[in-house]
Amino acid sequence: RGSMAAPAGAHIPAGPAWKTKPLRFIEPPLVTNQDCMFQTQKLKKEYAHALLTARSAIERTPKEALENPKRYLEHFTKEDAPPVSDEHKYTFDRVNDDTPYSQYDKRDTFHTKHTQAARKKCNVPLITRTQLRTSQNYGWLPSVDIPNNGFGRSSIFLDSAMDKSHLRVGGPWSAR
């Protein structure tokens, strides 16, 4: 009978050769207390240098540039666009508001342009400085449908290029 054990001196791998060590044991090797202290001291020094660089950059920047509110979406608004909504400052104005009622909205609201019903019916146009959506491609450039295409004849071939005089019946040119 043969045994199931491997012969003496045969190489038996302990596990798959492709499996590597986890990165937590390689980068950075924070195994001992000294390694951890060194890492925290290094990060403190890096933070101090970054803070000095940031403070010097802030001092060089003009004050009005830092005080202006920066809103990302304002980059896309058109210069002559009307305001999105006119907000009431006082409660009295809110109570005495004369905004017309919209039957398509689920709730009676002052902001009828911002409701789901208005978006669903496409009542609110998106007017921006540049194209943000692919649906804005239509109407952005001048039309391509110029009838003569620069050749002096219209693009409708049968109307401009074909002679139809022989197809008509009657008239001074026909023999009666």
Side-chain angles (χ1 to χ4, degrees), residues 40-72:
T40 54
Q41 289 173 357
K42 185 172 77 168
L43 290 177
K44 270 187 187 178
K45 198 66 170 174
E46 286 180 8
Y47 178 72
H49 283 294
L51 198 61
L52 284 173
T53 307
R55 284 185 180 153
S56 65
I58 288 173
E59 289 173 1
R60 286 191 308 262
T61 322
K63 190 173 184 180
E64 56 270 357
L66 296 174
E67 292 174 353
N68 288 342
K70 301 287 186 252
R71 295 185 186 99
Y72 176 70

Short mmCIF file of all heavy atoms in Angstrom, two decimals, residues 40-72:
data_model
loop_
_atom_site.label_atom_id
_atom_site.label_comp_id
_atom_site.label_asym_id
_atom_site.label_seq_id
_atom_site.Cartn_x
_atom_site.Cartn_y
_atom_site.Cartn_z
N THR A 40 4.42 60.88 14.33
CA THR A 40 3.65 62.03 14.79
C THR A 40 4.51 63.30 14.78
O THR A 40 4.02 64.38 14.41
CB THR A 40 3.10 61.81 16.21
OG1 THR A 40 4.17 61.44 17.08
CG2 THR A 40 2.04 60.73 16.22
N GLN A 41 5.79 63.20 15.14
CA GLN A 41 6.67 64.37 15.10
C GLN A 41 6.87 64.85 13.67
O GLN A 41 6.90 66.06 13.40
CB GLN A 41 8.01 64.05 15.75
CG GLN A 41 7.93 63.90 17.25
CD GLN A 41 9.24 63.42 17.85
OE1 GLN A 41 10.20 63.14 17.13
NE2 GLN A 41 9.26 63.30 19.17
N LYS A 42 7.00 63.91 12.75
CA LYS A 42 7.19 64.27 11.34
C LYS A 42 5.94 64.97 10.80
O LYS A 42 6.03 66.00 10.11
CB LYS A 42 7.48 63.00 10.54
CG LYS A 42 7.80 63.27 9.08
CD LYS A 42 8.26 62.02 8.36
CE LYS A 42 7.07 61.15 8.06
NZ LYS A 42 7.37 60.06 7.14
N LEU A 43 4.75 64.45 11.14
CA LEU A 43 3.51 65.07 10.67
C LEU A 43 3.31 66.46 11.28
O LEU A 43 2.80 67.37 10.62
CB LEU A 43 2.32 64.18 10.97
CG LEU A 43 2.24 62.89 10.15
CD1 LEU A 43 1.07 62.06 10.59
CD2 LEU A 43 2.14 63.19 8.68
N LYS A 44 3.72 66.65 12.56
CA LYS A 44 3.62 67.96 13.19
C LYS A 44 4.49 68.98 12.47
O LYS A 44 4.08 70.12 12.23
CB LYS A 44 4.06 67.88 14.66
CG LYS A 44 2.97 67.58 15.63
CD LYS A 44 3.51 67.70 17.03
CE LYS A 44 2.50 67.22 18.03
NZ LYS A 44 3.02 67.28 19.40
N LYS A 45 5.70 68.58 12.10
CA LYS A 45 6.61 69.49 11.40
C LYS A 45 6.06 69.83 10.01
O LYS A 45 6.11 70.99 9.58
CB LYS A 45 7.98 68.82 11.28
CG LYS A 45 9.09 69.77 10.99
CD LYS A 45 9.27 70.72 12.15
CE LYS A 45 10.53 71.53 11.98
NZ LYS A 45 10.65 72.54 13.01
N GLU A 46 5.53 68.84 9.30
CA GLU A 46 4.94 69.10 7.99
C GLU A 46 3.75 70.05 8.10
O GLU A 46 3.58 70.96 7.28
CB GLU A 46 4.50 67.79 7.34
CG GLU A 46 5.63 66.95 6.82
CD GLU A 46 5.15 65.66 6.19
OE1 GLU A 46 3.92 65.50 6.02
OE2 GLU A 46 5.98 64.82 5.88
N TYR A 47 2.92 69.86 9.14
CA TYR A 47 1.77 70.73 9.35
C TYR A 47 2.21 72.16 9.64
O TYR A 47 1.62 73.12 9.15
CB TYR A 47 0.91 70.18 10.49
CG TYR A 47 -0.28 71.03 10.81
CD1 TYR A 47 -1.38 71.07 9.96
CD2 TYR A 47 -0.32 71.81 11.96
CE1 TYR A 47 -2.47 71.87 10.24
CE2 TYR A 47 -1.40 72.61 12.25
CZ TYR A 47 -2.49 72.63 11.39
OH TYR A 47 -3.56 73.42 11.67
N ALA A 48 3.28 72.33 10.44
CA ALA A 48 3.78 73.66 10.77
C ALA A 48 4.28 74.37 9.51
O ALA A 48 4.01 75.57 9.31
CB ALA A 48 4.88 73.56 11.81
N HIS A 49 5.00 73.66 8.65
CA HIS A 49 5.48 74.27 7.40
C HIS A 49 4.32 74.64 6.49
O HIS A 49 4.33 75.72 5.86
CB HIS A 49 6.43 73.30 6.67
CG HIS A 49 7.80 73.25 7.27
ND1 HIS A 49 8.66 74.32 7.24
CD2 HIS A 49 8.46 72.25 7.91
CE1 HIS A 49 9.79 73.98 7.84
NE2 HIS A 49 9.69 72.73 8.27
N ALA A 50 3.32 73.78 6.40
CA ALA A 50 2.15 74.08 5.56
C ALA A 50 1.40 75.29 6.10
O ALA A 50 0.91 76.13 5.33
CB ALA A 50 1.24 72.87 5.49
N LEU A 51 1.31 75.41 7.41
CA LEU A 51 0.62 76.54 8.03
C LEU A 51 1.36 77.85 7.75
O LEU A 51 0.73 78.88 7.43
CB LEU A 51 0.50 76.30 9.53
CG LEU A 51 -0.52 77.12 10.30
CD1 LEU A 51 -1.91 76.86 9.76
CD2 LEU A 51 -0.46 76.80 11.77
N LEU A 52 2.70 77.83 7.84
CA LEU A 52 3.48 79.03 7.53
C LEU A 52 3.30 79.44 6.07
O LEU A 52 3.15 80.63 5.76
CB LEU A 52 4.96 78.77 7.82
CG LEU A 52 5.38 78.79 9.29
CD1 LEU A 52 6.83 78.36 9.43
CD2 LEU A 52 5.20 80.18 9.86
N THR A 53 3.30 78.47 5.17
CA THR A 53 3.12 78.78 3.74
C THR A 53 1.74 79.36 3.48
O THR A 53 1.59 80.33 2.72
CB THR A 53 3.32 77.50 2.92
OG1 THR A 53 4.56 76.90 3.26
CG2 THR A 53 3.29 77.79 1.44
N ALA A 54 0.72 78.80 4.12
CA ALA A 54 -0.65 79.29 3.92
C ALA A 54 -0.81 80.70 4.48
O ALA A 54 -1.44 81.56 3.85
CB ALA A 54 -1.64 78.34 4.58
N ARG A 55 -0.24 80.96 5.65
CA ARG A 55 -0.36 82.30 6.25
C ARG A 55 0.35 83.35 5.40
O ARG A 55 -0.15 84.46 5.23
CB ARG A 55 0.19 82.29 7.67
CG ARG A 55 -0.75 81.65 8.65
CD ARG A 55 -0.25 81.77 10.06
NE ARG A 55 -1.18 81.13 10.97
CZ ARG A 55 -0.85 80.61 12.12
NH1 ARG A 55 0.40 80.65 12.53
NH2 ARG A 55 -1.76 80.05 12.88
N SER A 56 1.51 83.02 4.86
CA SER A 56 2.22 83.99 4.02
C SER A 56 1.45 84.23 2.71
O SER A 56 1.43 85.35 2.21
CB SER A 56 3.64 83.51 3.72
OG SER A 56 3.60 82.34 2.94
N ALA A 57 0.78 83.19 2.18
CA ALA A 57 -0.03 83.38 0.97
C ALA A 57 -1.24 84.25 1.27
O ALA A 57 -1.64 85.08 0.43
CB ALA A 57 -0.46 82.03 0.43
N ILE A 58 -1.84 84.10 2.44
CA ILE A 58 -3.00 84.92 2.82
C ILE A 58 -2.58 86.38 3.00
O ILE A 58 -3.30 87.29 2.62
CB ILE A 58 -3.65 84.35 4.10
CG1 ILE A 58 -4.38 83.05 3.77
CG2 ILE A 58 -4.61 85.35 4.72
CD1 ILE A 58 -4.91 82.32 4.96
N GLU A 59 -1.39 86.61 3.57
CA GLU A 59 -0.92 87.98 3.74
C GLU A 59 -0.65 88.67 2.41
O GLU A 59 -0.84 89.88 2.28
CB GLU A 59 0.35 88.00 4.61
CG GLU A 59 0.08 87.67 6.06
CD GLU A 59 1.36 87.51 6.86
OE1 GLU A 59 2.46 87.68 6.28
OE2 GLU A 59 1.26 87.22 8.05
N ARG A 60 -0.20 87.91 1.40
CA ARG A 60 0.08 88.50 0.09
C ARG A 60 -1.20 88.77 -0.70
O ARG A 60 -1.20 89.59 -1.61
CB ARG A 60 0.97 87.55 -0.72
CG ARG A 60 2.40 87.50 -0.26
CD ARG A 60 3.26 86.76 -1.27
NE ARG A 60 2.72 85.47 -1.62
CZ ARG A 60 3.10 84.31 -1.10
NH1 ARG A 60 4.03 84.29 -0.18
NH2 ARG A 60 2.57 83.17 -1.49
N THR A 61 -2.30 88.08 -0.37
CA THR A 61 -3.54 88.23 -1.12
C THR A 61 -4.25 89.52 -0.71
O THR A 61 -4.27 89.87 0.47
CB THR A 61 -4.48 87.04 -0.82
OG1 THR A 61 -3.72 85.86 -0.71
CG2 THR A 61 -5.49 86.86 -1.92
N PRO A 62 -4.83 90.24 -1.67
CA PRO A 62 -5.57 91.46 -1.30
C PRO A 62 -6.76 91.13 -0.40
O PRO A 62 -7.37 90.07 -0.51
CB PRO A 62 -6.06 92.01 -2.64
CG PRO A 62 -5.40 91.23 -3.70
CD PRO A 62 -4.77 90.03 -3.09
N LYS A 63 -7.07 92.07 0.49
CA LYS A 63 -8.11 91.83 1.49
C LYS A 63 -9.49 91.67 0.87
O LYS A 63 -10.28 90.84 1.31
CB LYS A 63 -8.11 92.97 2.51
CG LYS A 63 -8.97 92.70 3.70
CD LYS A 63 -8.82 93.78 4.74
CE LYS A 63 -9.63 93.44 5.97
NZ LYS A 63 -9.51 94.44 7.01
N GLU A 64 -9.79 92.46 -0.18
CA GLU A 64 -11.13 92.37 -0.77
C GLU A 64 -11.35 91.04 -1.48
O GLU A 64 -12.47 90.58 -1.63
CB GLU A 64 -11.39 93.53 -1.74
CG GLU A 64 -10.39 93.68 -2.85
CD GLU A 64 -9.22 94.59 -2.49
OE1 GLU A 64 -9.21 95.16 -1.38
OE2 GLU A 64 -8.32 94.72 -3.31
N ALA A 65 -10.27 90.40 -1.92
CA ALA A 65 -10.42 89.09 -2.56
C ALA A 65 -10.80 88.03 -1.54
O ALA A 65 -11.49 87.06 -1.87
CB ALA A 65 -9.13 88.69 -3.25
N LEU A 66 -10.37 88.21 -0.30
CA LEU A 66 -10.72 87.24 0.74
C LEU A 66 -12.11 87.46 1.30
O LEU A 66 -12.75 86.53 1.78
CB LEU A 66 -9.70 87.31 1.88
CG LEU A 66 -8.27 86.92 1.52
CD1 LEU A 66 -7.34 87.17 2.69
CD2 LEU A 66 -8.22 85.45 1.12
N GLU A 67 -12.60 88.72 1.26
CA GLU A 67 -13.89 89.02 1.86
C GLU A 67 -15.06 88.78 0.92
O GLU A 67 -16.20 88.65 1.37
CB GLU A 67 -13.91 90.47 2.34
CG GLU A 67 -12.98 90.71 3.51
CD GLU A 67 -12.90 92.17 3.89
OE1 GLU A 67 -13.47 93.00 3.15
OE2 GLU A 67 -12.28 92.46 4.91
N ASN A 68 -14.84 88.74 -0.39
CA ASN A 68 -15.93 88.51 -1.33
C ASN A 68 -16.44 87.08 -1.19
O ASN A 68 -15.65 86.14 -1.09
CB ASN A 68 -15.46 88.72 -2.77
CG ASN A 68 -15.23 90.17 -3.08
OD1 ASN A 68 -15.72 91.03 -2.37
ND2 ASN A 68 -14.49 90.43 -4.14
N PRO A 69 -17.77 86.91 -1.19
CA PRO A 69 -18.29 85.54 -1.10
C PRO A 69 -18.03 84.81 -2.42
O PRO A 69 -18.29 85.33 -3.50
CB PRO A 69 -19.79 85.74 -0.86
CG PRO A 69 -20.07 87.10 -1.39
CD PRO A 69 -18.82 87.91 -1.22
N LYS A 70 -17.50 83.64 -2.32
CA LYS A 70 -17.22 82.83 -3.50
C LYS A 70 -18.28 81.74 -3.61
O LYS A 70 -18.41 80.90 -2.74
CB LYS A 70 -15.84 82.18 -3.40
CG LYS A 70 -14.73 83.17 -3.24
CD LYS A 70 -14.48 83.89 -4.55
CE LYS A 70 -13.29 84.77 -4.48
NZ LYS A 70 -13.59 86.17 -4.44
N ARG A 71 -19.02 81.79 -4.68
CA ARG A 71 -20.02 80.77 -4.94
C ARG A 71 -19.72 80.17 -6.30
O ARG A 71 -19.60 80.87 -7.30
CB ARG A 71 -21.42 81.38 -4.93
CG ARG A 71 -21.78 81.91 -3.56
CD ARG A 71 -23.22 82.40 -3.55
NE ARG A 71 -23.51 83.02 -2.28
CZ ARG A 71 -23.48 84.32 -2.07
NH1 ARG A 71 -23.20 85.14 -3.04
NH2 ARG A 71 -23.75 84.81 -0.89
N TYR A 72 -19.57 78.89 -6.34
CA TYR A 72 -19.14 78.19 -7.56
C TYR A 72 -20.14 78.38 -8.69
O TYR A 72 -19.75 78.59 -9.84
CB TYR A 72 -18.96 76.70 -7.26
CG TYR A 72 -18.62 75.88 -8.46
CD1 TYR A 72 -17.38 76.00 -9.06
CD2 TYR A 72 -19.53 75.01 -9.02
CE1 TYR A 72 -17.05 75.26 -10.18
CE2 TYR A 72 -19.23 74.27 -10.13
CZ TYR A 72 -17.97 74.40 -10.70
OH TYR A 72 -17.67 73.68 -11.81
#
